[in-house]
Amino acid sequence: MHRFASATIRSNAHFLTSFRRLVRFEKVCHQRPKTLTTKSQTSCTGAGFRSLSTLSGSTTQKQLAPHVRPHCRGYSAVSIDTDTATVSQISESSKRKERVLLLMSGGVDSSICAHILHNQGYDVTGLYMHNWNHQEETQDEIEGKLHQRLSTINTAHLHESVGATTTTAENRTSRTAPIRPKVCTSDRDWADVQAVCEQIGIPCKRLDFSRQYWNQVFEVMLQEYEQGRTPNPDVTCNREIKFGELITWCEQNGGLGKDRHSEETQKDLDQLCGQGWDYLATGHYARVEQDPVTGKAKLLRAKDSNKDQTYYLSTLSEKVLRHVLFPLAQFDKPTVKQMAMKAGESQLKSVASKKESMGICFVGQRRRFGDFLREYLDARPGPVRVNGLNGPLIGEHKGLFQYTVGQASSIIHGYQKWVVLRTDLPSNTLIVVEGTQNKRLFSPGLVAHKWHWISGNAPKKLLESGSNPLDMNEFPFTAQIRHRQTPQPCAIEPVLDAMSPSTTFRVRFKDLQRAIAAGQQIVLYDKDECLGGGVIQAGLPVLAEDE
């Protein structure tokens, strides 16, 4: 009996020694910056066997969601039963885990991405990007309080600013709106991100990019409207912020990509295992595949054609795409919500029931976009004419930046419905036509500039199209001039004249296109592959105006 008790004591002592070694290993390999303190971290470090489950980053097969498959590139899901696994097995698994920085918005898409990636064995860190500063926008310098749900959390280290974000006389923009009720839901969304990450068992982080967003997205959007164009801030945000400024931040904080460390530094893996990330993941509905011939990354449409978001990702580069994961590539939206409702984490069910966000967060869903723009731009009233500059005068507009081609003009004159045809900045004139299907609204093609090719160069198929007399396919590509538009067969050719830069192309469509808006993005596809896109300059005329 005494021998048995002694053996038990020695066994327990051996386990405690091994456990202390594991904790020391975790402190080295999973060290985060001070700004990364979250509830999930503090609850893991002193929770006994719960900490082993969290450190392993894996679960039993029973815990895997029924729709989750290890489809992410180059990775086979690892299943470790933490009830039977030894300390050494868990430590070896931790060494093999690939690090993923996941962009999270507080919605169901990015939340289920965290669930998927964590269950596939990745070492995941959730990242919430704070891109809009309500106090700075309204010149209200009183610090806003975090959502009531955060009152029990030590928020001193949850927020990290990137660049100058403090509202001061030196860096405040001249464009500010009157103080008004806050419409952006960032505090509530950040609270949801923390709750999801805590339940899944992963750390989360919040970075402030509001100054960069203001200067590189919002100000540019206002300038485009002032010039009579209709910009797409979502495309600009992906290029400049999510896959621009954030990539720069990653490079400055350990790097991004599996090849981020040099051969010299890889000798000390214990020191580097907690630095940088192997992949950047987002909840976009899109796919990335490797070209079997060139080895380069290709951007492809998602399985869910209704939710496909490659249109908004058309300005990304191949160098960035090779380090990006889209966990929702093979799922449609109903399946994603079903997965969230069936998941064990109650917070996933909560975010699945949230109303899907539509439009731009800082505008608010109950306000007209034109009313929002009037808070920043000077509205100059002017004449409204029919068909052209010499057409009949039927009223007065409220500022040209509030009107976009193809939209109802809200001009009341007789019983007709007047639709915006175009705006003329020199004369400050709004030109309208009668009826939503007026022939003047349709165009056979367009001219676009500032083309960006994902591969880095114009596709070979584009350069060769039209040069082969035996090629019977007159429209070898498809294109979209707006999100969720049915892909339109088209042909594309460079504009070769001294007045146009080398990035200007002319696109001809098989069918007439309605309401081609200058400033919007046109995106080119070869079957399911997104090749890139450009900014629309103007539609090609189909009918001459009655001047």
Side-chain angles (χ1 to χ4, degrees), residues 453 458-478 490-494 496 505-508 524-526 531:
W453 302 111
K460 184 178 180 182
K461 181 179 178 180
L462 183 154
L463 300 176
E464 294 176 349
S465 62
S467 61
N468 186 359
L470 299 178
D471 187 1
M472 302 299 294
N473 189 1
E474 185 180 357
F475 302 99
F477 302 100
T478 59
C490 69
I492 180 171
E493 60 184 4
L496 302 176
F505 288 81
R506 182 183 297 107
V507 179
R508 293 184 298 107
L524 191 70
Y525 295 85
D526 183 4
L531 302 175

Side-chain angles (χ1 to χ4, degrees), residues 238-306:
N238 282 331
R239 181 185 68 241
E240 299 293 332
I241 309 300
K242 293 180 181 177
F243 298 94
E245 291 291 337
L246 179 58
I247 298 295
T248 301
W249 180 88
C250 288
E251 293 172 348
Q252 295 171 350
N253 290 270
L256 177 65
K258 298 179 72 64
D259 56 349
R260 63 187 181 277
H261 298 307
S262 64
E263 294 181 1
E264 290 77 14
T265 58
Q266 280 197 358
K267 296 178 181 178
D268 192 359
L269 294 179
D270 288 339
Q271 182 179 354
L272 295 172
C273 61
Q275 297 182 10
W277 291 270
D278 297 297
Y279 295 109
L280 175 67
T282 77
H284 287 98
Y285 286 82
R287 288 184 293 149
V288 175
E289 289 184 2
Q290 188 179 45
D291 190 299
V293 178
T294 64
K296 291 187 175 182
K298 300 192 301 182
L299 179 63
L300 305 177
R301 292 186 184 275
K303 176 183 177 181
D304 187 347
S305 59
N306 184 53

Side-chain angles (χ1 to χ4, degrees), residues 295-353:
K296 291 187 175 182
K298 300 192 301 182
L299 179 63
L300 305 177
R301 292 186 184 275
K303 176 183 177 181
D304 187 347
S305 59
N306 184 53
K307 289 292 294 181
D308 174 68
Q309 292 174 303
T310 52
Y311 178 89
Y312 296 117
L313 301 170
S314 59
T315 57
L316 272 60
S317 68
E318 189 276 336
K319 292 182 179 179
V320 170
L321 281 173
R322 68 179 67 170
H323 306 308
V324 174
L325 295 177
F326 297 123
L328 303 184
Q330 304 297 334
F331 301 113
D332 56 25
K333 186 72 173 190
T335 301
V336 168
K337 285 199 171 185
Q338 184 181 19
M339 291 165 59
M341 296 302 293
K342 289 185 177 181
E345 294 84 0
S346 60
Q347 187 61 30
L348 283 177
K349 299 177 183 179
S350 176
V351 296
S353 62

